[in-house]
Amino acid sequence: MEPIIQLTHQPLDRAALVEAVSHPSDGGIVVFEGIVRDNARGKQVHYLEYEVYEEMARQQIAQIIAEAQQRWQIEHVAVAHRFGRLEIGEASVIIVVATPHRSEAFDACRYIIDTLKNTVPIWKKEVATNGEAWVEG
Amino acid sequence: MKIKIRYFASLRDIVEQSEEWLTVPDNAYIADVRTLLLERYPRLQPIMDRSVNAVNHSYVPAETELHDGDEVVFIPPTGGGC
């Protein structure tokens, strides 16, 4: 199955992504969901603004998934990232990995989110009560 | 020849536009474009020092030779995920 890659302004739909990735041959599904929290480095966060270099981000995410598929036996993967303005409590990223056995699903999901943060051209601006700034890492 | 530069995040805030076409000598390298941009926008210096290069949607080293119509982006440190 081709991996699902979503870059969207719209709220992310966890149930739909899990449904799309589920397969009778898989015994485990691991979902990672990243949420906008109300504080960072001692500041009160008002909201976040994500920006994406879409063509390149899509390509980089596909490459990360391909690398994960070489390391672990994972056939069913979805990676969704939202951009634009996100409020506290909303999901910025959802990664779903379905595998025959659980340990590979955990390992691959962890690998995908960690690598995504480092190499996919997506940026986050924190708008806090005392000003706004692009956040690194 | 002409190349297209796109600006994102803090770079876009500094240059106050999201893209522009630049005329550069034939066979220019990424490193030459960096020099040219820093002359034009000196305030880019700190963030450019921490940015990596991308040409046509792939990461490339500074000694990459450019071709007419290439899309060049200097990628500041990313912050995707959560």
Side-chain angles (χ1 to χ4, degrees), chain B residues 9-29:
Chain B
S10 49
L11 280 83
R12 183 171 42 73
D13 287 350
I14 292 169
V15 304
E16 296 179 318
Q17 56 185 335
S18 54
E19 59 178 69
E20 65 180 320
W21 287 85
L22 283 188
T23 303
V24 297
D26 287 355
N27 313 113
Y29 290 83

Side-chain angles (χ1 to χ4, degrees), chain A residues 51 116-125 133-137, chain B residues 8-11 34 44-53 59 73-80:
Chain A
E51 182 171 339
L116 180 148
K117 286 181 81 74
N118 288 327
T119 68
V120 177
I122 296 175
W123 300 274
K124 175 168 74 178
K125 183 187 262 182
W134 292 100
V135 180
E136 300 180 3
Chain B
F8 292 92
S10 49
L11 280 83
R34 276 183 172 259
L44 281 179
Q45 181 82 56
I47 191 66
M48 282 286 262
D49 288 347
R50 290 180 297 124
S51 297
V52 294
N53 322 293
Y59 288 110
V73 180
F74 296 99
I75 309 269
T78 57

